Amino acid sequence: SFTITHPPSEQYGTQASFGLTDQINTSCWSAAITSPPGNMVSLSICSPPDAPIGRWRLTLGQGGSVDFVLLYNPWCTGDAVYMDSEEKLREYILAQDGIIYRGGWKYPIPTPWNYGQFEDGILNACLRILDMNPKCLRNPGKDASGRRNPIYVSRVLSAMVNCNDDKGVLLGRWTDDYDGGVSPLSWKGSVEILRNWDTNACQPVRFGQCWVFAAVACSVSRALGIPCRLVTNYNSAHDTNSNLVIERYVDENGQLVQKSRDMIWNYHCWVENWMTRPDLKPGFDGWQVMDPTPQEKSEGVYCCGPIPLKAIKEGELTDKYDAPFVFAEVNADVHTFMKRKDGSTKKIISSVHVGLKISTKSVGSDRREDITHLYKYPEGSDEEREAFTKANHQNKLLQQQDNAGLLIVIKVSTEMRKGCDFDVFAVITNNTPNEKKCRLVFGSRAVSYNGILGENCGFKDLLNVQLAPGEEKRVALRMNYSKYAENLTEDNLIRLAALLLDYGTQEAYLAVRNVVLVNPEIKVRILGEPKENRKLAAEITLQNPLPVPLQNCCFTVEGSNLTGGQVDAKVKIYFTPTHSGLRKLVVDFDSNKLCHVKGYRNVIIGK
């Protein structure tokens, strides 16, 4: 007979006894002899599809015991994470590297990431994350039983990837002070983060921001057998009071003033895990949003999800978990008010939208896939209005923009790039039959990706802008490198705001645009034919785009089964691939004036 335990508890269904049978029964724990008669006996052991994942011990009658790890099996039709596409499984389970989209919705920037879920020690670290979660520490048997359910495990991971309530993996930091740790932009993959946490007595790794939290969650999910992909939502709303409205206040120069905790992040990253949802009504299986970045508490803990994408799209905000918060991230209204010097406020006309260009890496390629349609119906469609009605989103349904016939937008020049002087333009159009006299305030400030404003990068105040009926006028604002260079954050973002005041009607119009100053390209050239277990060289090139010399330059390189860990290098590196197949060589460049420039090269390793 056999006894299997995890840890042993008949009450929670983590202990089973069974004997040999003629053939395997795939619906329960079973064992059968698979070898021909002889001196050696081979056994085949089968677990039920809903067995809890984790460490198990198999005891063979009065003999010895065998320890093994059981994971979710997305190739098994009876498993809650079953996915019926071999191509998708190669991407969402087996791929050890990927692309994270950062930048802005006008210019998404692909950033390489090494998930490394099959690297040495990573599975042990992932299992330790489950063991260190507060629910396991309070009641190990009940927690072990809960691990049969990917809904439960995803919720545990959402809480444990951040350390706000527990011995989680990462500490978040959204300021420029990274004393005691490193900038989130310095990470190139999850392997070093998970190993650091595991080998340092579960002390949080410093520091992470949304894409780092999401990437680590993706690594852990894939390591445990849950199909997972990382998603970027541009112009992502952070609704703190659950009214599905983001209220923003600007001063009389059009610059944001922080009067509300509601924010619009330039982008925000989370993950989607694939699973069935038997706890919900039919039709809500598939991709589920799970967000490990600590933003708001859910059931008293900093976690978010899982919630089906379909629930977000259909406005089913009573479904578990955290549907209103995720719905607002992609669908919230934005109301903008001008706060005058006398303390009064006035609502102004602005065309800021959230939930733009929701992006993930395509299956089998490095192209960007736009999945906005999975989260929301097209703006203004009947289906959208029905979803908002269901979500009780009356603000969005009833909003009527009172456009008095003036239009203002911000455009940028094609030569805009980091290190250069360039122009940005406020383009004003008078669509009325009357001449208009206006004041234009056009300013720029450095901004971090989560919406925190920095220093001024350029400003213009024109008191007498006149427009004839039907006239379009372009007003340029010069962005000088000498002015913006020292004010840029690591995100390379500048927020442009143009406020137009109509003297005749006293209406105010606001246009806002975040621009990304793109870093130069790192070029990686492979020297020779890549072969498994054979030394290989790569040449790395970067051209300095700045008008000043770069000092203290350093390249760092990482890649699953390529570098054998992190390698610091200068210009040319050597490495020995340990496995064949498609791999990414991820490169990071740092210097005194140009930091965290990312690049990568796909390498096909032959046998």
Side-chain angles (χ1 to χ4, degrees):
S1 68
F2 304 86
T3 302
I4 196 153
T5 58
H6 167 72
S9 172
E10 292 185 2
Q11 175 189 0
Y12 293 115
T14 56
Q15 178 173 318
S17 296
F18 53 96
L20 282 173
T21 55
D22 293 334
Q23 59 185 15
I24 290 295
N25 183 345
T26 58
S27 65
C28 60
W29 285 105
S30 59
I33 296 175
T34 57
S35 59
N39 297 328
M40 297 284 291
V41 175
S42 295
L43 295 177
S44 179
I45 308 291
C46 185
S47 65
D50 63 346
I53 65 164
R55 301 185 189 279
W56 287 81
R57 172 163 292 178
L58 174 66
T59 303
L60 310 173
Q62 302 299 316
S65 61
V66 178
D67 292 340
F68 64 94
V69 174
L70 190 67
L71 304 175
Y72 293 112
N73 182 2
W75 284 268
C76 171
T77 56
D79 201 299
V81 299
Y82 171 68
M83 180 175 268
D84 63 356
S85 167
E86 195 66 39
E87 185 182 21
K88 290 180 180 178
L89 286 167
R90 282 194 295 271
E91 182 69 50
Y92 300 135
I93 286 286
L94 300 179
Q96 292 200 78
D97 47 56
I99 298 291
I100 299 172
Y101 290 95
R102 299 177 59 246
W105 75 273
K106 288 274 191 180
Y107 195 90
I109 296 177
T111 302
W113 191 269
N114 173 27
Y115 294 118
Q117 67 268 30
F118 303 129
E119 294 279 293
D120 289 343
I122 297 305
L123 180 57
N124 287 336
C126 296
L127 294 173
R128 193 174 187 185
I129 289 172
L130 297 182
D131 292 340
M132 293 304 296
N133 96 79
K135 294 178 181 178
C136 181
L137 298 177
R138 284 195 299 267
N139 190 333
K142 185 176 181 181
D143 174 78
S145 178
R147 296 181 192 180
R148 69 181 73 247
N149 185 351
I151 304 168
Y152 175 84
V153 169
S154 292
R155 196 152 173 79
V156 166
L157 293 182
S158 173
M160 283 296 296
V161 170
N162 70 73
C163 68
N164 287 43
D165 310 286
D166 41 49
K167 288 184 172 292
V169 177
L170 277 162
L171 178 63
R173 179 65 57 86
W174 283 269
T175 68
D176 291 333
D177 178 14
Y178 301 124
D179 287 347
V182 299
S183 162
L185 282 166
S186 69
W187 302 115
K188 297 173 293 301
S190 306
V191 174
E192 187 179 359
I193 295 170
L194 289 168
R195 283 177 178 163
N196 284 352
W197 177 81
D198 190 36
T199 57
N200 288 289
C202 304
Q203 293 300 305
V205 178
R206 302 165 183 256
F207 294 100
Q209 290 178 4
C210 72
W211 71 92
V212 185
F213 286 108
V216 170
C218 186
S219 297
V220 178
S221 295
R222 290 183 183 183
L224 297 177
I226 304 174
C228 184
R229 64 184 183 184
L230 194 147
V231 170
T232 301
N233 176 40
Y234 289 100
N235 280 20
S236 188
H238 184 166
D239 178 23
T240 58
N241 57 7
S242 302
N243 67 347
L244 307 182
V245 176
I246 303 298
E247 294 180 342
R248 307 211 302 176
Y249 294 83
V250 299
D251 60 22
E252 291 177 288
N253 291 327
Q255 294 301 318
L256 209 59
V257 292
Q258 210 59 50
K259 188 177 177 181
S260 166
R261 286 184 60 229
D262 288 353
M263 303 278 289
I264 297 177
W265 293 25
N266 199 55
Y267 63 87
H268 179 54
C269 298
W270 55 70
V271 296
E272 295 171 3
N273 283 357
W274 180 272
M275 66 193 71
T276 59
R277 290 302 300 264
D279 58 322
L280 303 177
K281 62 186 179 183
F284 289 85
D285 299 342
W287 290 118
Q288 317 281 320
V289 171
M290 187 264 278
D291 190 350
T293 300
Q295 297 179 92
E296 300 294 324
K297 286 191 174 183
S298 172
E299 298 180 340
V301 177
Y302 279 102
C303 65
C304 181
I307 179 69
L309 266 62
K310 186 176 180 182
I312 302 304
K313 185 171 183 176
E314 300 295 341
E316 300 280 359
L317 301 196
T318 59
D319 287 347
K320 293 183 177 180
Y321 293 87
D322 309 306
F325 185 79
V326 179
F327 184 89
E329 287 183 300
V330 300
N331 276 314
D333 260 350
V334 182
H335 293 176
T336 306
F337 300 88
M338 184 168 65
K339 192 173 187 301
R340 298 190 179 100
K341 291 177 182 177
D342 62 8
S344 64
T345 60
K346 175 180 172 60
K347 189 174 182 181
I348 63 177
I349 298 169
S350 179
S351 57
V352 177
H353 298 287
V354 303
L356 302 177
K357 206 172 278 189
I358 304 174
S359 302
T360 191
K361 178 185 176 298
S362 293
V363 173
S365 82
D366 288 343
R367 292 192 305 274
R368 185 186 67 85
E369 180 182 355
D370 193 310
I371 57 171
T372 308
H373 64 285
L374 299 180
Y375 282 84
K376 53 203 292 191
Y377 287 104
E379 293 280 349
S381 65
D382 292 341
E383 294 88 349
E384 184 204 37
R385 286 191 288 273
E386 185 179 338
F388 288 146
T389 302
K390 201 179 294 181
N392 196 28
H393 195 7
Q394 299 303 319
N395 293 302
K396 189 122 181 179
L397 284 171
L398 301 176
Q399 184 185 30
Q400 296 291 326
Q401 191 173 83
D402 181 19
N403 193 323
L406 285 173
L407 177 67
I408 182 167
V409 296
I410 295 173
K411 297 190 176 181
V412 300
S413 55
T414 54
E415 70 269 16
M416 179 184 73
R417 68 178 188 273
K418 192 173 183 178
C420 295
D421 299 342
F422 58 90
D423 289 324
V424 294
F425 303 93
V427 182
I428 311 162
T429 307
N430 179 11
N431 293 317
T432 74
N434 306 313
E435 183 180 27
K436 289 287 184 180
K437 293 183 179 181
C438 305
R439 176 187 177 190
L440 174 67
V441 183
F442 195 7
S444 62
R445 291 175 70 177
V447 64
S448 61
Y449 87 97
N450 63 333
I452 303 298
L453 291 175
E455 297 300 317
N456 173 42
C457 296
F459 182 79
K460 179 176 285 188
D461 189 354
L462 302 180
L463 298 176
N464 187 23
V465 177
Q466 298 189 34
L467 296 114
E471 182 182 1
E472 178 182 287
K473 185 166 287 187
R474 293 167 67 93
V475 178
L477 177 65
R478 189 69 171 170
M479 306 298 298
N480 294 306
Y481 175 75
S482 59
K483 177 78 171 177
Y484 69 73
E486 298 303 322
N487 295 331
L488 277 183
T489 69
E490 292 180 319
D491 299 305
N492 285 346
L493 288 168
I494 296 177
R495 180 183 185 270
L496 306 173
L499 181 66
L500 188 68
L501 303 172
D502 183 342
Y503 289 129
T505 65
Q506 295 300 304
E507 290 287 358
Y509 304 81
L510 179 68
V512 177
R513 178 169 176 177
N514 288 346
V515 296
V516 185
L517 300 184
V518 182
N519 280 322
E521 179 187 3
I522 294 178
K523 296 180 180 178
V524 183
R525 188 165 69 98
I526 302 299
L527 307 177
E529 184 181 1
K531 290 285 188 179
E532 189 176 325
N533 296 317
R534 182 192 296 176
K535 193 173 183 179
L536 185 66
E539 183 181 76
I540 301 170
T541 308
L542 179 137
Q543 184 173 355
N544 178 15
L546 306 183
V548 294
L550 300 179
Q551 298 171 338
N552 304 319
C553 302
C554 184
F555 289 98
T556 56
V557 183
E558 185 174 328
S560 292
N561 308 127
L562 290 178
T563 61
Q566 184 170 309
V567 178
D568 288 339
K570 299 277 188 179
V571 185
K572 185 180 287 188
I573 62 148
Y574 297 90
F575 56 95
T576 304
T578 58
H579 292 73
S580 60
L582 179 65
R583 298 287 182 265
K584 270 188 178 61
L585 194 64
V586 181
V587 183
D588 180 85
F589 174 82
D590 258 316
S591 71
N592 62 329
K593 293 283 187 182
L594 196 64
C595 297
H596 305 306
V597 182
K598 306 288 185 183
Y600 71 95
R601 172 68 182 263
N602 288 333
V603 185
I604 300 176
I605 310 298
K607 287 189 176 292

